[in-house]
Amino acid sequence: MNDDQFDALVDDATHAVNDLIPDTVLDGLRDSERSDLLFQINDALTPILREVIDRTDSGSDNPTRSSTIAALISELLETHAQKCDEGGDCANDRPRHVISEVYGTSANIDSLAICEIEMGTQIYLVLDDHSAFRIAVEAVSP
């Protein structure tokens, strides 16, 4: 399946899911909120459909996808954060998730998300010090 076909599939699936939402819910949303909802549905469906398409695509020589590596990195970050949250005898003893002694900063992970893009996968990381990061994961070999 080429990129245009995949994009059309995701768009069709996004609109199909949107059509399942009752009008009473959609009527309560502003135009920008409706648009945001479509983007969120699209972002949620993209990695799911990409994995299904990739798994059934017999022409794939490389079984490890960028989405798999991004999921691995995300799981490592989540596990690290969980271990930090469980450490120490009380909340004040627990280490922060991200610490830089060189720059004198520390923060906790507020949110972590994965999004498929044309060139690979991106991980979005938001910290409680209001900084945000986008980590790109791209396959460099076929």
Side-chain angles (χ1 to χ4, degrees), residues 19-124:
D19 290 343
L20 295 173
I21 300 171
D23 289 338
T24 55
V25 172
L26 295 175
D27 291 343
L29 300 176
R30 295 187 310 265
D31 288 342
S32 63
E33 291 173 322
R34 283 185 181 207
S35 179
D36 286 343
L37 178 61
L38 282 174
F39 282 118
Q40 291 172 355
I41 294 169
N42 186 290
D43 288 347
L45 289 173
T46 298
I48 295 166
L49 292 173
R50 173 61 67 200
E51 186 172 325
V52 170
I53 296 300
D54 289 345
R55 203 177 31 211
T56 58
D57 183 9
S58 60
S60 177
D61 291 83
N62 185 2
T64 304
R65 313 286 312 160
S66 64
S67 58
T68 304
I69 300 303
L72 169 69
I73 293 169
S74 294
E75 288 173 18
L76 289 171
L77 290 168
E78 289 170 352
T79 301
H80 170 75
Q82 182 181 5
K83 293 296 182 186
C84 289
D85 291 344
E86 294 170 354
D89 292 331
C90 65
N92 293 337
D93 294 337
R94 296 183 181 132
R96 306 282 281 168
H97 302 157
V98 180
I99 299 172
S100 172
E101 292 181 17
V102 172
Y103 296 107
T105 61
S106 66
N108 282 326
I109 297 171
D110 262 352
S111 67
L112 187 65
I114 298 176
C115 178
E116 286 283 326
I117 59 171
E118 186 176 328
M119 299 303 292
T121 305
Q122 291 184 349
I123 301 170
Y124 294 92

